Amino acid sequence: MLAIDLRGTRALVAGVADDGGYGFAIAKALAEAGATVCAGTWPPALNIFLNLLERGKIDAARRMPDGSLLQFEKIYPLDAVFDTLAEAPEDIRGNKRYKDVGDFSIAGLAQRLVQDFGDRPLDIVVHSLANGPEVKKPLLETSRAGYLAAVSASAFSLVSLVARLGPLTRPGGSFLSLTYMASERVVPGYGGGMSSAKAALESDTRTLAFEAGRKYGLRVNTISAGPLASRAASAIGKIEQMVQYYAANAPLTEPLTAREVGTTAAFLASPLGAGSRGRPSMWTRATTRWGPRCMRAICCKTSSVVRYPSSVKGSAVTDDGRRTTDDVHHRCPDCASVGHVGDQSPQGADGIPP
Ligand SMILES: NC(=O)c1ccc[n+]([C@@H]2O[C@H](COP(=O)([O-])OP(=O)(O)OC[C@H]3O[C@@H](n4cnc5c(N)ncnc54)[C@H](O)[C@@H]3O)[C@@H](O)[C@H]2O)c1
């Protein structure tokens, strides 16, 4: 029998603060496969998470198939926008949510792991965190500070984690992150520089896979997950509509569950996923061919690539989550012929590279 066996390994999942997101589901799947799991939790959410655990509020979600409860070996405070404690401004260090938790930077996390478990304590690192303070704003209205904050928290944090935890990870180990299709398709509503951050995350995954592969013998992958109404995603404001859209249009119409992404992560982190590195694994139930309508088509008269702004015909999603006919056919703004805007292959419409 082919089974995912992670017994004897230790994982660090950065970005767990409740039972509603991908990080929790990944932690649980890794534990079910036999891994010992530590968590990295954002200081503003740390006390809430510890309370949820202590008061048994998420015991149902923690319940494992054998009846036991998912245990976190350690829960570390982690603010992934700071590489070292010295970089954190005074008002953050003095903030009531931060001042008593010790070194919450990425370097601090690395130091604590070594103190607690020795020089090479890790086998699996999962980056399941993102933050875009202006996510509700269209890119055109995003400030420089908001854009850079999104990229810092959601993309550079992975680079820093690989740089600082790579040397602590045993050869053959695995880094994983979570990305979203807005990196390559226009998804109205996923603003504030978050689409740019996901594009950076994916590009960095390729480069990090090469560099960390050569330097430490590690694999680096990212999972492109479909929409899930997690706490972070609810901040987008349209997440329920996005879930409905996928359910209405994807080849498999059951909504994606966090568990499916969790088990994919466990597979990729295990020796069974050893052949995968540096590429997004699409895990959307919508396959690589689907994305909200808009963006790109071939004009049937001029054969040029026609790019449609996301404002053409407004949203791609109807009130009840269906795709409209009008989303599929648009007029080419150049020659007024009707173009087909659907069915982009991973190579791009009609073989034109995306
Ligand atoms: N939910 C979706 O629809 C969806 C789709 C595709 C990809 N993703 C990605 O999945 C990952 C997990 O998100 P989720 O949707 O499961 O939500 P989530 O709320 O469970 O996870 C996000 C976590 O990031 C943490 N965080 C925010 N800023 C941080 C910082 N500076 N340092 C450390 N931690 C910080 C939050 O406390 C939270 O625990 C993210 O990368 C997200 O972009 C989500």
Side-chain angles (χ1 to χ4, degrees), residues 15 21-22 42 78-80 128-131 178-179 198 225-228 230 232-233:
Y22 284 132
W42 196 35
L78 170 68
D79 193 324
S128 181
L129 60 96
N131 205 338
L178 277 298
T179 186
K198 290 303 187 190
L228 173 80
S230 64

Side-chain angles (χ1 to χ4, degrees), residues 19 26 39 67 142 150 171 181 184 190 194 229 234 256 261 274 338-339 341 346:
D19 61 345
I26 292 171
T142 299
M181 186 180 61
E184 53 179 301
Y190 198 76
M194 278 306 299
S234 300
L256 177 75
V261 172
V338 173
V341 193

Side-chain angles (χ1 to χ4, degrees), residues 26-158:
I26 292 171
K28 192 173 175 192
L30 294 173
E32 279 181 41
T36 300
V37 183
C38 299
T41 301
W42 196 35
L46 184 60
N47 270 340
I48 301 165
F49 186 41
L50 294 176
N51 275 334
L52 288 174
L53 290 168
E54 272 163 29
R55 294 184 186 174
K57 299 276 188 199
I58 55 172
D59 280 3
R62 287 172 68 201
R63 186 78 55 201
M64 305 273 280
D66 67 2
S68 66
L69 291 182
L70 167 66
Q71 300 294 339
F72 292 98
E73 189 178 23
K74 291 268 178 185
I75 299 176
Y76 296 105
L78 170 68
D79 193 324
V81 303
F82 302 115
D83 300 327
T84 63
L85 190 59
E87 289 170 17
E90 210 41 62
D91 62 325
I92 294 280
R93 278 195 271 170
N95 179 288
K96 65 174 181 181
R97 305 235 182 254
Y98 284 79
K99 66 178 165 46
D100 298 323
V101 301
D103 188 341
F104 47 80
S105 69
I106 295 177
L109 170 69
Q111 202 175 24
R112 286 178 184 212
L113 281 161
V114 171
Q115 272 164 11
D116 290 342
F117 304 114
D119 284 348
R120 283 274 175 112
L122 294 172
D123 301 278
I124 299 162
V125 177
V126 179
H127 174 285
S128 181
L129 60 96
N131 205 338
E134 297 182 14
V135 67
K136 287 187 179 165
K137 289 188 186 170
L139 193 56
L140 266 179
E141 292 166 25
T142 299
S143 71
R144 184 180 296 266
Y147 181 99
L148 293 177
V151 174
S152 170
S154 314
F156 187 77
S157 51
L158 175 71

